[in-house]
Structure formats: structure tokens, C-alpha cells
Amino acid sequence: MLIFAVKKKNTMKIGVFCSANSSIDQDFFTLTDELGRWMGREGHTLVYGGCNMGLMECVAKAVHETGGTVIGVIPRLLEQGGRLSQYIDVQIPCDNLSDRKDLMLAQADAFVVLPGGIGTLDELFTLAASATLGYHGKPLVVYDMKGFWQPLLRLLETLEAQGLVRGRFANYIKTARTHDEVVRLLEQM
């Protein structure tokens, strides 16, 4: 008897940048879990940093538990420190954080940025800056959970108003305030 796996139409590899800290607003975990479960149910693949902590572990677990594929791009230093998630289906080792960003950009079709710190900001701005120069045209969605990104969005508006951003930042960075808005923006690609 032959069994064929049927790939859902319009599935994507979605890169997710987010916090690896656990001592953050618990609502962020609930909303991240919702996003990950949607990704898994819809047959999307998660491309993320491979870490077993914080929102990173939360999204990987949710995707994995709902049947999605999880690709972890993890620096060897983190792996050696015991930070590799158990929910990874495909592991891509890398040398450092710059390599990680490059590999994730090559792997993913679109990106979602969840709450995070300095590393997440670095990832967001690396992708946004490279989009402004034409290195890629992949969708980049900032998920503004509970208004987390509002101070940053105001700063970007100020930079734009002072002529320090090429064009409109919203051409490169889409903003979603709810799960449904994230889904709608991703499905438009």
C-alpha cells in the first residue's frame, strides 16, 4: 500500500525572531504558543534560533506538537552550553550570530518578530536594512503583542519624519497587533 504525504497549498518557511528569556510577561508565551500552533496546523515550517529557552522554546514546542517542522539554526557556542531545543527536526549549526542571521534569511520565506531584547533588535534591523538595499524582498512582520513594540515604532516614525529612513519604514516592516493580523499579512505574500 502506498501512502502519500500531501503538502498543504501555500505553506511557508516562517522565520521567527524572539526572546530567549523566560522571566517576561506570561501573556507573550500564550500569544507565541497560539502563533506556533497555527503554524504547525497549517503545515508551515518554523525557522528559528534553535534555543531551548523563553519564547524561542515556546514557539518551537507549539509548532512541533501540532505537526509542523522545526528548523533550528544554532551557534555552536549555544549548543555546547546545553541550549539546543529538543523540538528541532532539522538542525543547522553555525559559527556565530551573524552566520545565524544569514542562514535564517536564506531558509525562510517570511519573518515574524516577537518581543525580544538586543539580539532580536539586531535581527530585526539586519533584515530591515538589507531589504532597504534590495538584498531581499521577504515580508517582515513585527508582532506588537500588548503594545510591546510601540516605543520602537515611534522611534522609526521619528527617523522617517527626519528623513533618516529610505522611503517609509512601513514598506519594509509591517506591524500586526493581533494573531489574526499576523496571519493576514503572511497569507498576503
Side-chain angles (χ1 to χ4, degrees):
M1 177 164 108
L2 292 174
I3 299 175
F4 295 95
V6 178
K7 182 179 176 186
K8 288 186 177 183
K9 186 177 179 179
N10 298 324
T11 58
M12 295 175 272
K13 287 182 171 179
I14 302 171
V16 173
F17 297 121
C18 59
S19 177
N21 292 322
S22 296
S23 58
I24 58 175
D25 188 329
Q26 291 303 298
D27 289 343
F28 295 159
F29 287 93
T30 301
L31 295 167
T32 297
D33 181 77
E34 177 185 32
L35 178 66
R37 291 188 179 283
W38 168 79
M39 289 173 62
R41 282 192 310 272
E42 294 299 314
H44 300 304
T45 296
L46 168 66
V47 179
Y48 86 120
C51 190
N52 64 358
M53 298 173 62
L55 297 181
M56 291 178 77
E57 182 76 339
C58 178
V59 71
K61 180 180 180 188
V63 171
H64 179 82
E65 287 180 347
T66 52
T69 301
V70 177
I71 298 174
V73 183
I74 187 160
R76 287 180 179 85
L77 181 67
L78 294 178
E79 182 181 5
Q80 291 165 356
R83 301 272 174 92
L84 180 66
S85 175
Q86 66 179 336
Y87 300 109
I88 294 174
D89 298 302
V90 177
Q91 179 183 346
I92 301 175
C94 59
D95 290 327
N96 54 51
L97 297 176
S98 294
D99 288 346
R100 178 200 267 176
K101 290 181 291 188
D102 291 342
L103 289 166
M104 288 180 68
L105 178 58
Q107 286 288 319
D109 302 311
F111 294 89
V112 177
V113 182
L114 308 180
I118 293 171
T120 304
L121 286 169
D122 173 54
E123 293 157 340
L124 166 63
F125 285 120
T126 295
L127 262 67
S130 60
T132 67
L133 296 173
Y135 285 107
H136 74 88
K138 298 178 181 185
L140 178 59
V141 179
V142 170
Y143 187 175
D144 188 26
M145 295 176 178
K146 296 180 70 177
F148 177 84
W149 291 112
Q150 286 302 303
L152 178 66
L153 295 169
R154 285 192 300 275
L155 173 61
L156 288 170
E157 289 168 357
T158 299
L159 293 173
E160 184 178 298
Q162 295 183 14
L164 297 169
V165 174
R166 286 183 185 92
R168 296 192 62 236
F169 79 86
N171 293 336
Y172 307 103
I173 302 172
K174 304 297 182 196
T175 304
R177 299 195 83 174
T178 66
H179 169 78
D180 290 342
E181 289 178 5
V182 172
V183 170
R184 181 180 52 76
L185 288 169
L186 291 173
E187 289 179 343
Q188 287 177 354
M189 61 170 278

